[in-house]
Amino acid sequence: MEPQQTQPYYGASGDLPMVSVGQTVPPANMLDKLAGYESIDAGGEERYLPPPVQPPYNAEGGQPQPNQQWSIPSISEDAARRALIKYAAEHVTYSKRPAEEMVFKELIPYNMYRYRLQSFTESRSPEWKSEPYYGQTIESSGFGAPPPPWEVPVDVPEMFEKNKKKVQVPNTASVKGCHRCMAMGKIPCDKCLQTGRVKCMMCDGKGSLFGDDSRCNHCMGNGIESCKSCSGYGQQKCNVCQGKCQLFFYIQLTVKWENNKFEQVIDQQCDFPIQKLNKVTGKELFSDQHFQVYPIMGFPESRINQVSQHGLQEHWTQFGKTSRIIQQRHTVELIPVTKVHFQWKNKENSYFVFGTESKVHAPEYPGKKCTIM
């Protein structure tokens, strides 16, 4: 069935839109000028808009603070030994004898605090979209002015989980004749240059395969064959409107949610590589969650107060002007770290037991076996 003949879109001046050969992005004069969306275009990159004015960052707000002096007792010798035996068992080339036979000299506990801030933000980016018109419902500006980008209703997903949604902005839809094919549904075939014929692929247009007496049966000796791209018609279905002659235009709003993190460990300078704490948990001492949380004050470890102030200021400066901060959450954990000094075969050594999981860091473990290659 031949596609319905539709009049092509004409610009405001009455002229046909300027379209280059092969252009699939609609020309600018095809896009309606809608209040609040005048600066957006079609087929561009995501450009996230400034959010509505948010309350300024407040560093002086009240905040429930922990009032207990927290400390961690050293783990027991039995627990320290079990942790090292398990560590040795996890390494094929390690002997468990040092862990089983060692003599403890001293167990030194350290209090390491981890401050973690999460700011759950939302960003919005509008963009003109077009697709073949299959009879979609047309909610045009005739139904009312489209809502501003930050007033388009979008359900917020689970807090502190990265997500992304694309929604159609109400009252921005319209239908126009396709600019690519001038609303004809067909475009010239670029494979055969509208002739419907191409050089035979079997004989490379020679008409014969091995000589003058060996006629090519594929093209019957003519050296040409019917173009497969257009089935020999010289035209093919428009790749923009998919032969429908019309395009459905609307503004699409991309809404992106991010969980932005700030984290810092208060190092006690005990020669322990603090990056290893990333994979272990501690005991949560403090947690607070609100639209805007306030810096921690009066914490037993004064550096936590400073880190909290810095992290919150950094997030509001970094995200406050480009995204809407929906919710914030910050926590303080106390991570157990114990340095164990021991003696084995008259030699002294040490290792660390850390995290509630009792992980071990023992780079100088004396029970490493030699392997013969």
Side-chain angles (χ1 to χ4, degrees), residues 72-75 106-110 270 337-341 352-353:
I72 298 180
S74 173
I75 62 173
E106 186 180 18
L107 282 75
I108 305 174
Y110 293 92
C270 59
V337 177
T338 299
K339 190 171 187 178
V340 181
H341 293 275
F352 288 93
V353 182

Side-chain angles (χ1 to χ4, degrees), residues 72-73 75 110-112 277 280-283 334-338 353-357:
I72 298 180
I75 62 173
Y110 293 92
N111 289 344
M112 289 208 187
L277 299 182
V280 298
T281 59
K283 180 179 180 180
L334 187 58
I335 306 176
V337 177
T338 299
V353 182
F354 61 98
T356 57
E357 301 86 351

Side-chain angles (χ1 to χ4, degrees), residues 37 40-41 47 49 124-128 149 251-254:
Y37 299 90
I40 66 173
D41 53 21
R47 294 184 299 174
L49 304 175
R124 297 192 170 199
S125 173
E127 177 190 6
W128 274 107
I251 294 178
Q252 177 178 273
L253 190 65
T254 299

Side-chain angles (χ1 to χ4, degrees), residues 171-354:
N171 304 338
T172 61
S174 62
V175 174
K176 295 180 173 69
C178 178
H179 59 283
R180 177 71 175 89
C181 63
M182 305 307 293
M184 299 298 292
K186 296 179 180 179
I187 56 175
C189 178
D190 57 0
K191 297 294 183 182
C192 65
L193 302 179
Q194 304 183 66
T195 63
R197 298 290 183 269
V198 294
K199 184 168 59 175
C200 176
M201 65 175 183
M202 297 297 292
C203 67
D204 196 30
K206 297 183 175 70
S208 60
L209 295 176
F210 306 107
D212 294 339
D213 296 331
S214 179
R215 188 180 69 169
C216 175
N217 293 325
H218 186 73
C219 63
M220 304 305 293
N222 295 320
I224 58 174
E225 62 177 321
S226 177
C227 177
K228 292 183 174 58
S229 295
C230 62
S231 300
Y233 291 106
Q235 291 183 316
Q236 55 189 157
K237 182 170 67 176
C238 176
N239 59 338
V240 173
C241 69
Q242 297 299 311
K244 297 299 180 181
C245 305
Q246 295 177 307
L247 292 175
F248 179 69
F249 283 84
Y250 61 96
I251 294 178
Q252 177 178 273
L253 190 65
T254 299
V255 187
K256 183 169 65 173
W257 292 273
E258 296 281 354
N259 186 28
N260 307 283
K261 297 180 181 179
F262 173 91
E263 186 174 298
Q264 190 164 329
V265 173
I266 303 302
D267 188 5
Q268 298 297 337
Q269 303 298 319
C270 59
D271 299 324
F272 178 81
I274 61 174
Q275 65 271 17
K276 287 187 172 292
L277 299 182
N278 294 337
K279 297 182 179 180
V280 298
T281 59
K283 180 179 180 180
E284 187 175 279
L285 305 183
F286 171 80
S287 178
D288 189 44
Q289 178 177 326
H290 291 289
F291 156 67
Q292 177 182 350
V293 296
Y294 297 101
I296 296 175
M297 296 180 290
F299 197 84
E301 168 57 71
S302 61
R303 286 179 291 176
I304 283 291
N305 305 324
Q306 299 167 5
V307 167
S308 172
Q309 172 82 34
H310 173 71
L312 284 164
Q313 182 67 64
E314 180 178 295
H315 269 204
W316 277 93
T317 300
Q318 184 175 357
F319 306 114
K321 295 180 180 179
T322 57
S323 307
R324 178 166 62 184
I325 296 179
I326 299 177
Q327 194 87 183
Q328 288 185 309
R329 176 171 64 196
H330 61 170
T331 58
V332 178
E333 288 177 277
L334 187 58
I335 306 176
V337 177
T338 299
K339 190 171 187 178
V340 181
H341 293 275
F342 68 94
Q343 186 178 47
W344 185 65
K345 289 188 175 181
N346 297 321
K347 292 183 179 180
E348 292 192 359
N349 211 315
S350 64
Y351 65 97
F352 288 93
V353 182
F354 61 98

Side-chain angles (χ1 to χ4, degrees), residues 95-114:
S95 168
K96 291 189 292 184
R97 283 188 60 194
E100 294 170 341
E101 300 173 357
M102 66 180 176
V103 177
F104 290 102
K105 306 298 288 184
E106 186 180 18
L107 282 75
I108 305 174
Y110 293 92
N111 289 344
M112 289 208 187
Y113 296 99
R114 175 164 56 204

